[in-house]
Amino acid sequence: MSIYLHTNSDGEKSQGYINSGKNEGIGAISQYQILLYAVCKKFKVEFYNSGFKNIGHSTYSEYSQEEWDNSFTNFFNLSTNKIIENQISFTKIDEELISFIETHINDSKDFLIYLDPEEVLRYSQSIIDEIYQKKYLIDLKNNFNFNQQYFSNQELNISLHIRCINPEDVMFQDIRELYTSKEKFRYINLINYLKKVCTNEKVNLHIYSQGEDKNFLNILNCEEDNFKVTLHLNQNPISDIYHMCYSDLFIMSNSSFSWIVHLLNYNPTLVRNNFWHSTYPNTLKLDEKYLFNINKLRIV
């Protein structure tokens, strides 16, 4: 039979949001599922997911909470429709867990092992280079349930996620570097550097964010003949995740929503050098002015 690993997929039960009156968003919750999927690949066991629940930000969407949750369950295509009676939990991903897997992998019954999401987060970051090199997450991305692709094969598609304040945020830490009037100069620096790297390419810079077009005029004004800027504001996050995952170059914001895209994309990523999670070895760090070493960027 099989050994299955699972972890929390309920936005209401996430440690960071308990008693806050608000639920975690899909980035913060799906990061645990995505990373656990990689851990399952490493240990050659099965991944278990009962579907997403109580995912945040539904209140300003057109969906009910149940519809909102189901949309992410369907998109990631990860749910496991199986009842497993033998359920146990481990506090650590360590030699004890590995020994249990090796001992029971060929048993005549299934086992469902629960792992704390923070332990999944800790361990998976310790093997981040292996996740990249062995592409543990490629088939997860290729199995997305979505078919509305709008990228052109005739362009170099660069995706930039810009984090803005939204009504369901619990706190606004400075380290998130949210998009404000005093920070806009950073994006002009970034775009000017991208133009230097892509002088011989026809580029479409896709902006994924929230707000109104007028808030992004400084970026729109950077358009040139071979450097197009396309805004995707207030769109369904599923479409945003999908397209950012398939972009030729991805530029992160300091958010879990960006990080899950980075983990699934595998193409080069630009990220602030103060981002708090581990990233792949093909990542380039942006300084506080959003500048980077242009000689090290190789876009696939």
Side-chain angles (χ1 to χ4, degrees), residues 24-115:
E24 288 272 27
I26 190 60
I29 291 300
S30 67
Q31 66 185 0
Y32 303 121
Q33 304 300 314
I34 290 167
L35 293 168
L36 181 62
Y37 189 92
V39 172
C40 289
K41 286 286 188 179
K42 176 178 176 61
F43 293 146
K44 296 181 173 58
V45 297
E46 301 297 322
F47 173 87
Y48 189 95
N49 174 272
S50 57
F52 292 103
K53 297 178 181 178
N54 300 310
I55 301 301
H57 310 294
S58 66
T59 55
Y60 55 92
S61 76
E62 60 184 306
Y63 303 103
S64 69
Q65 184 65 62
E66 183 178 4
E67 291 170 335
W68 186 247
D69 297 338
N70 289 341
S71 70
F72 294 113
T73 298
N74 292 334
F75 170 68
F76 283 103
N77 211 3
L78 286 173
S79 61
T80 311
N81 295 317
K82 186 172 186 177
I83 297 175
I84 302 175
E85 294 183 359
N86 301 293
Q87 300 186 22
I88 56 178
S89 62
F90 280 82
T91 57
K92 295 288 184 181
I93 301 175
D94 56 12
E95 291 302 320
E96 184 179 357
L97 172 63
I98 294 171
S99 176
F100 181 90
I101 291 173
E102 292 175 346
T103 302
H104 297 280
I105 193 71
N106 294 316
D107 277 11
S108 59
K109 55 185 178 181
D110 291 330
F111 289 93
L112 180 61
I113 299 175
Y114 179 82
L115 294 171

Side-chain angles (χ1 to χ4, degrees), residues 72-220:
F72 294 113
T73 298
N74 292 334
F75 170 68
F76 283 103
N77 211 3
L78 286 173
S79 61
T80 311
N81 295 317
K82 186 172 186 177
I83 297 175
I84 302 175
E85 294 183 359
N86 301 293
Q87 300 186 22
I88 56 178
S89 62
F90 280 82
T91 57
K92 295 288 184 181
I93 301 175
D94 56 12
E95 291 302 320
E96 184 179 357
L97 172 63
I98 294 171
S99 176
F100 181 90
I101 291 173
E102 292 175 346
T103 302
H104 297 280
I105 193 71
N106 294 316
D107 277 11
S108 59
K109 55 185 178 181
D110 291 330
F111 289 93
L112 180 61
I113 299 175
Y114 179 82
L115 294 171
D116 182 271
E118 293 302 315
E119 175 62 10
V120 173
L121 183 63
R122 181 202 66 80
Y123 178 80
S124 59
Q125 289 186 91
S126 73
I127 61 165
I128 194 71
D129 286 1
E130 180 179 343
I131 293 173
Y132 171 78
Q133 291 160 1
K134 295 191 176 181
K135 292 186 166 49
Y136 286 150
L137 300 174
I138 280 291
D139 56 344
L140 193 162
K141 181 177 78 168
N142 291 338
N143 203 34
F144 283 160
N145 188 11
F146 191 82
N147 59 3
Q148 301 174 30
Q149 201 273 118
Y150 51 66
F151 281 168
S152 169
N153 293 329
Q154 307 305 312
E155 297 173 330
L156 185 68
N157 293 287
I158 300 176
S159 292
L160 168 58
H161 179 218
I162 297 179
R163 186 73 160 78
C164 294
I165 293 175
N166 66 63
E168 289 198 16
D169 278 325
V170 171
M171 59 186 71
F172 308 116
Q173 307 101 320
D174 289 341
I175 198 172
R176 284 194 179 276
E177 298 181 349
L178 301 176
Y179 185 68
T180 62
S181 58
K182 70 177 183 179
E183 308 295 351
K184 290 182 179 180
F185 78 95
R186 295 172 169 176
Y187 295 94
I188 304 305
N189 290 340
L190 174 62
I191 290 171
N192 287 335
Y193 261 49
L194 290 174
K195 288 179 178 179
K196 291 179 181 179
V197 174
C198 305
T199 52
N200 298 318
E201 302 283 350
K202 185 176 181 181
V203 174
N204 195 334
L205 176 63
H206 299 267
I207 308 297
Y208 297 90
S209 192
Q210 295 171 299
E212 301 178 43
D213 289 11
K214 65 182 181 181
N215 298 335
F216 299 88
L217 289 178
N218 61 316
I219 294 177
L220 288 171

